[in-house]
């Protein structure tokens, strides 16, 4: 199975190419607000470096959110353009699922945090049993409403939340990556693939519906 993956949900912009279980190449960089002009350049370089042919792909994977409103739109629009030209399906990969996996294996209750804006973070609970297993849907929280939960959780992975976590020993920084998007898309292809993704939209999650966590 051959999959092209796109990651634009955060400041990281990247593309990755996977054949079966082997990630052939990944090109990515932290470039805030430059995704629109950089993503096509990264794809062009990936094609040059690997000999990738769209006609040979089984699908295109997209980091579907939550995350940056603009970044998610750019990634999905570009992915749709490539897919529709070849009649390829899309594989929407949950952004927080990939971020949780970026820190490796763990044991116990896990929580992943992704910074949104101001004092808002996206949060999702996971457990680990040979794979990360989501326990709920991602929810946006004001930091003050989830801080105590973060302190009590066994294992916390975050991206962009440095201003809040201070020196908490149970918190580790992960990293969004197109390689993780490609790996998860390959693993869960049959479960997540969308053959006719005409109406597919990013999982923005309204930041105006802020959750209040019971500690």
């Amino acid at each position: 199975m051959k999959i092209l993956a796109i990651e634009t949900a955060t400041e990281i912009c990247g593309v990755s190419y996977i054949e079966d279980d082997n990630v052939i190449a990944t090109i990515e960089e932290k470039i805030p607000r430059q995704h629109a002009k950089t993503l096509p350049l990264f794809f062009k370089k990936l094609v040059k470096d690997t000999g990738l042919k769209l006609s040979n792909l089984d699908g295109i994977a997209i980091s579907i959110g939550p995350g940056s409103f603009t970044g998610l739109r750019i990634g999905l629009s570009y992915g749709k353009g490539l897919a529709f030209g070849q009649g390829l399906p899309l594989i929407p990969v949950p952004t927080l699922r990939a971020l949780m996996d970026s820190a490796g294996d763990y044991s116990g209750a896990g929580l992943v945090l992704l910074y949104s804006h101001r004092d808002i973070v996206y949060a999702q609970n996971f457990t680990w049993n040979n794979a990360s297993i989501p326990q709920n849907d991602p929810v946006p929280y004001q930091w003050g409403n989830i801080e105590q939960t973060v302190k009590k959780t066994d294992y916390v992975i975050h991206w962009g939340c440095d201003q809040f976590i201070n020196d908490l020993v149970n918190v580790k920084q992960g990293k969004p990556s197109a390689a993780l998007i490609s790996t998860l898309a390959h693993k869960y292809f049959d479960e997540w693939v969308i053959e006719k993704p005409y109406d597919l939209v990013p999982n923005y999650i309204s930041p105006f519906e802020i959750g209040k966590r019971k500690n």
Side-chain angles (χ1 to χ4, degrees), residues 3 11 23 26 33 40-41 46 67 72 87 99 103 117 122 135 137 145 148 152 163 175-176 183 203 210-212 215:
I3 296 172
E11 306 99 319
V23 177
T26 300
R33 297 179 293 279
L41 299 178
L46 188 72
L72 291 171
L99 182 56
H117 64 291
Y122 296 111
Q135 300 300 305
D137 293 329
N145 291 331
Q148 293 303 314
K152 296 175 183 177
Q163 61 182 309
K175 183 182 179 182
T183 301
N203 183 19
I210 306 300
K212 291 186 177 181
N215 297 318

mmCIF file of all heavy atoms in Angstrom, residues 3 11 23 26 33 40-41 46 67 72 87 99 103 117 122 135 137 145 148 152 163 175-176 183 203 210-212 215:
data_model
loop_
_atom_site.group_PDB
_atom_site.id
_atom_site.type_symbol
_atom_site.label_atom_id
_atom_site.label_comp_id
_atom_site.label_asym_id
_atom_site.label_seq_id
_atom_site.Cartn_x
_atom_site.Cartn_y
_atom_site.Cartn_z
ATOM 1 N N ILE A 3 0.893 5.467 0.295
ATOM 2 C CA ILE A 3 0.093 6.584 0.768
ATOM 3 C C ILE A 3 0.945 7.841 0.859
ATOM 4 O O ILE A 3 2.078 7.803 1.351
ATOM 5 C CB ILE A 3 -0.511 6.283 2.159
ATOM 6 C CG1 ILE A 3 -1.486 5.100 2.081
ATOM 7 C CG2 ILE A 3 -1.218 7.511 2.721
ATOM 8 C CD1 ILE A 3 -1.980 4.627 3.437
ATOM 9 N N GLU A 11 1.960 24.692 13.307
ATOM 10 C CA GLU A 11 3.020 25.427 12.614
ATOM 11 C C GLU A 11 3.873 24.500 11.748
ATOM 12 O O GLU A 11 4.606 24.956 10.876
ATOM 13 C CB GLU A 11 3.938 26.130 13.617
ATOM 14 C CG GLU A 11 3.216 27.026 14.606
ATOM 15 C CD GLU A 11 3.013 26.322 15.932
ATOM 16 O OE1 GLU A 11 2.683 25.114 15.926
ATOM 17 O OE2 GLU A 11 3.197 26.972 16.977
ATOM 18 N N VAL A 23 8.220 4.029 5.953
ATOM 19 C CA VAL A 23 8.157 5.447 5.586
ATOM 20 C C VAL A 23 9.366 5.745 4.701
ATOM 21 O O VAL A 23 10.504 5.734 5.162
ATOM 22 C CB VAL A 23 8.167 6.349 6.834
ATOM 23 C CG1 VAL A 23 8.179 7.813 6.423
ATOM 24 C CG2 VAL A 23 6.946 6.058 7.713
ATOM 25 N N THR A 26 10.182 11.847 4.395
ATOM 26 C CA THR A 26 9.353 12.877 5.017
ATOM 27 C C THR A 26 10.060 14.217 4.868
ATOM 28 O O THR A 26 11.258 14.321 5.130
ATOM 29 C CB THR A 26 9.128 12.584 6.512
ATOM 30 O OG1 THR A 26 8.473 11.314 6.665
ATOM 31 C CG2 THR A 26 8.271 13.676 7.152
ATOM 32 N N ARG A 33 2.409 30.232 9.294
ATOM 33 C CA ARG A 33 1.748 31.096 8.307
ATOM 34 C C ARG A 33 2.393 31.056 6.923
ATOM 35 O O ARG A 33 2.247 31.991 6.140
ATOM 36 C CB ARG A 33 1.695 32.546 8.821
ATOM 37 C CG ARG A 33 0.874 32.700 10.091
ATOM 38 C CD ARG A 33 0.862 34.129 10.577
ATOM 39 N NE ARG A 33 2.180 34.549 11.016
ATOM 40 C CZ ARG A 33 2.696 34.266 12.214
ATOM 41 N NH1 ARG A 33 2.014 33.542 13.083
ATOM 42 N NH2 ARG A 33 3.898 34.703 12.554
ATOM 43 N N PRO A 40 3.133 23.029 -1.602
ATOM 44 C CA PRO A 40 3.399 22.555 -2.967
ATOM 45 C C PRO A 40 4.888 22.327 -3.238
ATOM 46 O O PRO A 40 5.256 21.403 -3.976
ATOM 47 C CB PRO A 40 2.844 23.681 -3.853
ATOM 48 C CG PRO A 40 1.849 24.376 -2.997
ATOM 49 C CD PRO A 40 2.396 24.311 -1.610
ATOM 50 N N LEU A 41 5.750 23.144 -2.640
ATOM 51 C CA LEU A 41 7.190 22.983 -2.826
ATOM 52 C C LEU A 41 7.677 21.706 -2.165
ATOM 53 O O LEU A 41 8.526 20.989 -2.724
ATOM 54 C CB LEU A 41 7.937 24.195 -2.252
ATOM 55 C CG LEU A 41 7.607 25.548 -2.879
ATOM 56 C CD1 LEU A 41 8.379 26.662 -2.171
ATOM 57 C CD2 LEU A 41 7.930 25.545 -4.369
ATOM 58 N N LEU A 46 9.376 16.035 -2.642
ATOM 59 C CA LEU A 46 9.139 14.628 -2.293
ATOM 60 C C LEU A 46 9.043 13.773 -3.544
ATOM 61 O O LEU A 46 9.596 12.668 -3.600
ATOM 62 C CB LEU A 46 7.858 14.516 -1.466
ATOM 63 C CG LEU A 46 7.564 13.135 -0.868
ATOM 64 C CD1 LEU A 46 8.521 12.844 0.282
ATOM 65 C CD2 LEU A 46 6.124 13.051 -0.361
ATOM 66 N N GLY A 67 -6.997 21.842 15.112
ATOM 67 C CA GLY A 67 -5.754 22.556 14.913
ATOM 68 C C GLY A 67 -6.010 23.917 14.321
ATOM 69 O O GLY A 67 -7.098 24.490 14.484
ATOM 70 N N LEU A 72 -5.483 23.774 8.511
ATOM 71 C CA LEU A 72 -6.313 22.624 8.162
ATOM 72 C C LEU A 72 -6.979 22.810 6.802
ATOM 73 O O LEU A 72 -7.057 21.872 6.001
ATOM 74 C CB LEU A 72 -7.375 22.396 9.239
ATOM 75 C CG LEU A 72 -6.871 21.909 10.595
ATOM 76 C CD1 LEU A 72 -7.993 21.933 11.624
ATOM 77 C CD2 LEU A 72 -6.282 20.503 10.484
ATOM 78 N N GLY A 87 -8.649 10.426 -8.899
ATOM 79 C CA GLY A 87 -9.717 9.571 -8.404
ATOM 80 C C GLY A 87 -9.317 8.782 -7.175
ATOM 81 O O GLY A 87 -9.768 7.641 -6.985
ATOM 82 N N LEU A 99 -0.512 13.056 17.454
ATOM 83 C CA LEU A 99 0.322 13.745 18.434
ATOM 84 C C LEU A 99 0.563 12.877 19.655
ATOM 85 O O LEU A 99 1.681 12.839 20.188
ATOM 86 C CB LEU A 99 -0.348 15.062 18.852
ATOM 87 C CG LEU A 99 0.421 15.929 19.854
ATOM 88 C CD1 LEU A 99 1.814 16.267 19.337
ATOM 89 C CD2 LEU A 99 -0.365 17.200 20.157
ATOM 90 N N ALA A 103 5.067 10.550 21.047
ATOM 91 C CA ALA A 103 5.947 10.409 22.217
ATOM 92 C C ALA A 103 6.293 8.961 22.523
ATOM 93 O O ALA A 103 6.942 8.680 23.532
ATOM 94 C CB ALA A 103 5.308 11.055 23.433
ATOM 95 N N HIS A 117 -5.238 29.009 21.073
ATOM 96 C CA HIS A 117 -4.978 30.446 21.109
ATOM 97 C C HIS A 117 -5.292 30.951 22.509
ATOM 98 O O HIS A 117 -5.955 30.273 23.296
ATOM 99 C CB HIS A 117 -5.826 31.187 20.074
ATOM 100 C CG HIS A 117 -7.295 31.112 20.329
ATOM 101 N ND1 HIS A 117 -8.027 29.945 20.192
ATOM 102 C CD2 HIS A 117 -8.181 32.046 20.746
ATOM 103 C CE1 HIS A 117 -9.286 30.168 20.480
ATOM 104 N NE2 HIS A 117 -9.415 31.442 20.837
ATOM 105 N N TYR A 122 -6.774 22.319 23.087
ATOM 106 C CA TYR A 122 -7.582 21.152 22.740
ATOM 107 C C TYR A 122 -7.062 19.990 23.572
ATOM 108 O O TYR A 122 -5.853 19.808 23.720
ATOM 109 C CB TYR A 122 -7.449 20.811 21.261
ATOM 110 C CG TYR A 122 -7.965 21.877 20.335
ATOM 111 C CD1 TYR A 122 -7.086 22.612 19.538
ATOM 112 C CD2 TYR A 122 -9.326 22.156 20.243
ATOM 113 C CE1 TYR A 122 -7.552 23.598 18.676
ATOM 114 C CE2 TYR A 122 -9.799 23.138 19.384
ATOM 115 C CZ TYR A 122 -8.900 23.855 18.603
ATOM 116 O OH TYR A 122 -9.366 24.826 17.757
ATOM 117 N N GLN A 135 -10.442 7.863 24.348
ATOM 118 C CA GLN A 135 -11.521 7.621 25.294
ATOM 119 C C GLN A 135 -12.664 8.632 25.160
ATOM 120 O O GLN A 135 -13.719 8.450 25.772
ATOM 121 C CB GLN A 135 -10.960 7.674 26.718
ATOM 122 C CG GLN A 135 -9.884 6.636 26.991
ATOM 123 C CD GLN A 135 -10.395 5.216 26.813
ATOM 124 O OE1 GLN A 135 -11.382 4.828 27.438
ATOM 125 N NE2 GLN A 135 -9.740 4.442 25.965
ATOM 126 N N ASP A 137 -13.963 12.376 22.501
ATOM 127 C CA ASP A 137 -13.656 13.269 21.388
ATOM 128 C C ASP A 137 -12.830 14.454 21.888
ATOM 129 O O ASP A 137 -12.901 14.818 23.069
ATOM 130 C CB ASP A 137 -14.948 13.781 20.739
ATOM 131 C CG ASP A 137 -15.729 12.687 20.045
ATOM 132 O OD1 ASP A 137 -15.091 11.734 19.546
ATOM 133 O OD2 ASP A 137 -16.977 12.785 20.011
ATOM 134 N N ASN A 145 -9.562 25.489 33.482
ATOM 135 C CA ASN A 145 -10.569 24.447 33.694
ATOM 136 C C ASN A 145 -10.029 23.036 33.522
ATOM 137 O O ASN A 145 -10.763 22.067 33.770
ATOM 138 C CB ASN A 145 -11.736 24.656 32.720
ATOM 139 C CG ASN A 145 -12.542 25.897 33.042
ATOM 140 O OD1 ASN A 145 -12.624 26.302 34.192
ATOM 141 N ND2 ASN A 145 -13.120 26.508 32.026
ATOM 142 N N GLN A 148 -5.923 21.135 36.732
ATOM 143 C CA GLN A 148 -5.853 20.125 37.780
ATOM 144 C C GLN A 148 -5.916 18.706 37.210
ATOM 145 O O GLN A 148 -5.271 17.789 37.721
ATOM 146 C CB GLN A 148 -6.978 20.338 38.801
ATOM 147 C CG GLN A 148 -6.835 21.615 39.609
ATOM 148 C CD GLN A 148 -5.498 21.675 40.339
ATOM 149 O OE1 GLN A 148 -5.071 20.695 40.977
ATOM 150 N NE2 GLN A 148 -4.823 22.812 40.231
ATOM 151 N N LYS A 152 -3.096 15.510 37.487
ATOM 152 C CA LYS A 152 -3.467 14.201 38.037
ATOM 153 C C LYS A 152 -3.322 13.060 37.030
ATOM 154 O O LYS A 152 -3.400 11.886 37.407
ATOM 155 C CB LYS A 152 -4.910 14.244 38.529
ATOM 156 C CG LYS A 152 -5.137 15.206 39.687
ATOM 157 C CD LYS A 152 -6.612 15.280 40.033
ATOM 158 C CE LYS A 152 -6.887 16.286 41.137
ATOM 159 N NZ LYS A 152 -8.346 16.392 41.426
ATOM 160 N N GLN A 163 3.792 27.535 27.851
ATOM 161 C CA GLN A 163 3.482 28.639 28.769
ATOM 162 C C GLN A 163 2.629 28.203 29.947
ATOM 163 O O GLN A 163 2.563 28.901 30.961
ATOM 164 C CB GLN A 163 2.747 29.741 28.007
ATOM 165 C CG GLN A 163 1.417 29.289 27.396
ATOM 166 C CD GLN A 163 0.731 30.393 26.617
ATOM 167 O OE1 GLN A 163 0.557 31.495 27.116
ATOM 168 N NE2 GLN A 163 0.364 30.107 25.371
ATOM 169 N N LYS A 175 5.405 15.961 18.986
ATOM 170 C CA LYS A 175 5.634 16.768 17.796
ATOM 171 C C LYS A 175 4.751 16.275 16.655
ATOM 172 O O LYS A 175 4.815 15.105 16.275
ATOM 173 C CB LYS A 175 7.098 16.713 17.358
ATOM 174 C CG LYS A 175 7.394 17.598 16.149
ATOM 175 C CD LYS A 175 8.840 17.491 15.701
ATOM 176 C CE LYS A 175 9.092 18.361 14.472
ATOM 177 N NZ LYS A 175 10.484 18.244 13.976
ATOM 178 N N PRO A 176 3.930 17.170 16.100
ATOM 179 C CA PRO A 176 3.157 16.778 14.908
ATOM 180 C C PRO A 176 4.102 16.410 13.776
ATOM 181 O O PRO A 176 5.139 17.044 13.587
ATOM 182 C CB PRO A 176 2.377 18.062 14.576
ATOM 183 C CG PRO A 176 2.369 18.862 15.845
ATOM 184 C CD PRO A 176 3.664 18.552 16.517
ATOM 185 N N THR A 183 1.815 6.782 8.894
ATOM 186 C CA THR A 183 1.813 5.499 9.605
ATOM 187 C C THR A 183 0.424 5.118 10.082
ATOM 188 O O THR A 183 -0.023 3.969 9.927
ATOM 189 C CB THR A 183 2.782 5.562 10.797
ATOM 190 O OG1 THR A 183 4.101 5.855 10.329
ATOM 191 C CG2 THR A 183 2.801 4.247 11.544
ATOM 192 N N ASN A 203 -11.878 18.904 11.043
ATOM 193 C CA ASN A 203 -12.486 18.835 12.366
ATOM 194 C C ASN A 203 -12.029 20.060 13.155
ATOM 195 O O ASN A 203 -11.134 19.983 13.992
ATOM 196 C CB ASN A 203 -12.073 17.544 13.081
ATOM 197 C CG ASN A 203 -12.749 17.397 14.420
ATOM 198 O OD1 ASN A 203 -13.762 18.023 14.692
ATOM 199 N ND2 ASN A 203 -12.176 16.560 15.280
ATOM 200 N N ILE A 210 -16.412 26.081 24.971
ATOM 201 C CA ILE A 210 -15.335 25.673 25.845
ATOM 202 C C ILE A 210 -15.840 24.730 26.921
ATOM 203 O O ILE A 210 -16.848 24.987 27.584
ATOM 204 C CB ILE A 210 -14.663 26.899 26.513
ATOM 205 C CG1 ILE A 210 -14.232 27.898 25.445
ATOM 206 C CG2 ILE A 210 -13.485 26.471 27.365
ATOM 207 C CD1 ILE A 210 -13.252 27.349 24.438
ATOM 208 N N GLY A 211 -15.120 23.632 27.109
ATOM 209 C CA GLY A 211 -15.505 22.652 28.116
ATOM 210 C C GLY A 211 -15.081 23.080 29.512
ATOM 211 O O GLY A 211 -14.125 23.813 29.690
ATOM 212 N N LYS A 212 -15.845 22.610 30.502
ATOM 213 C CA LYS A 212 -15.488 22.817 31.903
ATOM 214 C C LYS A 212 -15.308 21.456 32.553
ATOM 215 O O LYS A 212 -16.260 20.700 32.709
ATOM 216 C CB LYS A 212 -16.577 23.618 32.628
ATOM 217 C CG LYS A 212 -16.658 25.073 32.178
ATOM 218 C CD LYS A 212 -17.638 25.848 33.020
ATOM 219 C CE LYS A 212 -17.664 27.313 32.619
ATOM 220 N NZ LYS A 212 -18.602 28.105 33.429
ATOM 221 N N ASN A 215 -12.878 18.293 38.211
ATOM 222 C CA ASN A 215 -11.609 17.774 38.737
ATOM 223 C C ASN A 215 -11.852 16.705 39.816
ATOM 224 O O ASN A 215 -12.877 16.697 40.440
ATOM 225 C CB ASN A 215 -10.806 18.931 39.338
ATOM 226 C CG ASN A 215 -10.465 19.948 38.253
ATOM 227 O OD1 ASN A 215 -10.099 19.572 37.160
ATOM 228 N ND2 ASN A 215 -10.624 21.235 38.567
#
